[in-house]
Coordinates of all heavy atoms in Angstrom, one line a residue:
I108 N 35.8 -10.1 -4.5 CA 35.5 -8.9 -3.9 C 35.9 -8.9 -2.4 O 35.5 -9.8 -1.6 CB 34.0 -8.5 -4.0 CG1 33.6 -8.4 -5.5 CG2 33.7 -7.2 -3.3 CD1 32.2 -8.1 -5.7
H109 N 36.7 -7.9 -2.0 CA 37.1 -7.8 -0.6 C 36.2 -6.9 0.2 O 35.7 -5.9 -0.3 CB 38.6 -7.3 -0.5 CG 39.2 -7.5 0.8 ND1 39.2 -6.6 1.8 CD2 39.8 -8.6 1.4 CE1 39.8 -7.0 2.9 NE2 40.2 -8.3 2.7
R110 N 36.0 -7.3 1.4 CA 35.1 -6.6 2.3 C 35.5 -5.1 2.5 O 34.6 -4.3 2.7 CB 35.0 -7.3 3.6 CG 33.8 -6.8 4.5 CD 33.4 -7.9 5.5 NE 32.1 -7.6 6.0 CZ 31.4 -8.5 6.8 NH1 32.0 -9.7 7.0 NH2 30.2 -8.2 7.2
S111 N 36.8 -4.8 2.5 CA 37.2 -3.4 2.7 C 36.6 -2.5 1.6 O 36.1 -1.4 1.9 CB 38.7 -3.3 2.7 OG 39.3 -3.8 1.5
A112 N 36.7 -2.9 0.4 CA 36.1 -2.1 -0.7 C 34.6 -2.2 -0.7 O 34.0 -1.2 -1.0 CB 36.7 -2.7 -2.1
E113 N 34.1 -3.3 -0.4 CA 32.6 -3.5 -0.4 C 31.9 -2.6 0.6 O 30.9 -1.9 0.3 CB 32.3 -4.9 -0.1 CG 30.8 -5.3 -0.3 CD 30.6 -6.8 -0.2 OE1 30.9 -7.3 0.9 OE2 30.1 -7.4 -1.2
D114 N 32.5 -2.5 1.8 CA 31.9 -1.6 2.8 C 31.9 -0.1 2.4 O 31.0 0.6 2.6 CB 32.7 -1.7 4.1 CG 32.4 -3.1 4.8 OD1 31.4 -3.7 4.4 OD2 33.1 -3.4 5.7
M115 N 33.0 0.3 1.7 CA 33.1 1.7 1.3 C 32.2 2.0 0.1 O 31.6 3.0 0.0 CB 34.5 2.0 0.9 CG 35.5 2.1 2.0 SD 35.1 3.4 3.2 CE 34.3 2.4 4.5
V116 N 32.0 1.0 -0.8 CA 31.0 1.2 -1.8 C 29.6 1.4 -1.3 O 28.8 2.2 -1.7 CB 31.0 0.0 -2.8 CG1 29.8 0.1 -3.8 CG2 32.3 0.0 -3.6
K117 N 29.3 0.6 -0.2 CA 28.0 0.7 0.4 C 27.8 2.1 1.0 O 26.8 2.8 0.9 CB 27.8 -0.3 1.6 CG 27.7 -1.8 1.1 CD 27.7 -2.6 2.4 CE 27.6 -4.1 2.0 NZ 27.5 -5.0 3.2
L118 N 28.8 2.6 1.7 CA 28.8 3.8 2.4 C 28.7 5.0 1.5 O 27.7 5.8 1.6 CB 30.1 4.0 3.3 CG 30.1 5.1 4.3 CD1 29.0 5.0 5.3 CD2 31.5 5.2 5.0
Y119 N 29.5 5.1 0.5 CA 29.5 6.2 -0.4 C 28.2 6.1 -1.3 O 27.6 7.1 -1.6 CB 30.7 6.2 -1.3 CG 31.9 6.8 -0.6 CD1 32.8 5.9 0.1 CD2 32.2 8.1 -0.7 CE1 33.9 6.4 0.7 CE2 33.4 8.6 -0.1 CZ 34.2 7.8 0.6 OH 35.3 8.3 1.2
G120 N 27.8 4.9 -1.7 CA 26.6 4.7 -2.6 C 25.4 5.2 -1.9 O 24.5 5.9 -2.5
L121 N 25.2 4.8 -0.6 CA 24.0 5.1 0.1 C 23.9 6.6 0.4 O 22.8 7.3 0.3 CB 23.9 4.4 1.4 CG 23.5 2.9 1.3 CD1 23.6 2.2 2.7 CD2 22.1 2.7 0.8
T122 N 25.0 7.2 0.6 CA 25.1 8.7 0.8 C 24.8 9.4 -0.4 O 24.1 10.4 -0.4 CB 26.5 9.1 1.4 OG1 26.8 8.3 2.5 CG2 26.5 10.6 1.8
A123 N 25.2 8.9 -1.6 CA 24.9 9.5 -2.9 C 23.4 9.5 -3.1 O 22.8 10.5 -3.5 CB 25.6 8.7 -4.0
I124 N 22.7 8.4 -2.7 CA 21.3 8.3 -2.9 C 20.5 9.2 -2.0 O 19.5 9.9 -2.4 CB 20.8 6.8 -2.7 CG1 21.3 5.9 -3.8 CG2 19.3 6.7 -2.6 CD1 21.0 4.4 -3.6
L125 N 21.1 9.4 -0.8 CA 20.5 10.4 0.1 C 20.6 11.8 -0.5 O 19.6 12.6 -0.4 CB 21.3 10.4 1.5 CG 20.8 11.4 2.5 CD1 19.4 11.3 2.9 CD2 21.7 11.3 3.8
A126 N 21.8 12.2 -1.1 CA 21.9 13.5 -1.7 C 20.9 13.6 -2.9 O 20.4 14.7 -3.1 CB 23.3 13.7 -2.2
L127 N 20.7 12.5 -3.6 CA 19.7 12.5 -4.7 C 18.4 12.8 -4.2 O 17.6 13.6 -4.8 CB 19.8 11.2 -5.4 CG 18.7 10.9 -6.5 CD1 19.0 11.8 -7.7 CD2 18.7 9.5 -7.0
A128 N 18.0 12.3 -3.0 CA 16.7 12.5 -2.5 C 16.5 14.0 -2.1 O 15.5 14.6 -2.3 CB 16.5 11.5 -1.3
V129 N 17.6 14.5 -1.4 CA 17.5 15.9 -1.0 C 17.4 16.8 -2.2 O 16.5 17.7 -2.2 CB 18.7 16.3 -0.1 CG1 18.7 17.8 0.2 CG2 18.8 15.5 1.2
G130 N 18.2 16.6 -3.2 CA 18.1 17.5 -4.4 C 16.8 17.3 -5.1 O 16.3 18.3 -5.6
G131 N 16.2 16.1 -5.1 CA 14.9 15.9 -5.7 C 13.8 16.7 -5.0 O 12.9 17.2 -5.7
V132 N 13.8 16.7 -3.7 CA 12.8 17.4 -2.9 C 12.8 18.9 -3.3 O 11.8 19.6 -3.6 CB 13.0 17.3 -1.4 CG1 12.1 18.2 -0.7 CG2 12.7 15.9 -1.0
F133 N 14.0 19.5 -3.4 CA 14.2 20.9 -3.7 C 13.8 21.2 -5.2 O 13.5 22.3 -5.6 CB 15.5 21.4 -3.3 CG 15.7 21.7 -1.9 CD1 15.9 20.7 -1.0 CD2 15.4 23.0 -1.4 CE1 16.1 21.0 0.4 CE2 15.5 23.3 0.0 CZ 15.8 22.2 0.8
A134 N 14.0 20.1 -6.0 CA 13.6 20.3 -7.5 C 12.2 20.5 -7.6 O 11.8 21.2 -8.6 CB 14.0 19.0 -8.2
V135 N 11.3 20.0 -6.7 CA 9.9 20.3 -6.8 C 9.6 21.8 -6.8 O 8.9 22.4 -7.6 CB 9.1 19.6 -5.7 CG1 7.6 19.9 -5.7 CG2 9.3 18.1 -5.8
F136 N 10.3 22.5 -5.8 CA 10.0 23.9 -5.6 C 10.6 24.7 -6.8 O 10.1 25.7 -7.2 CB 10.7 24.3 -4.3 CG 10.1 23.7 -3.1 CD1 10.5 22.5 -2.6 CD2 9.0 24.4 -2.4 CE1 9.9 22.0 -1.4 CE2 8.4 23.8 -1.3 CZ 8.8 22.6 -0.8

């Protein structure tokens, strides 16, 4: 695994989880 790909997987993956959290909060309402 090369660091260039690994860093991008981290960045996109964490942002995806943030979007999941935002959508989940609004799902309550």
Side-chain angles (χ1 to χ4, degrees):
I108 298 175
H109 194 266
R110 194 160 196 167
S111 60
E113 189 173 60
D114 286 346
M115 290 299 99
V116 170
K117 292 178 181 179
L118 189 61
Y119 282 92
L121 285 176
T122 307
I124 293 175
L125 176 61
L127 175 67
V129 172
V132 169
F133 282 83
V135 176
F136 295 90

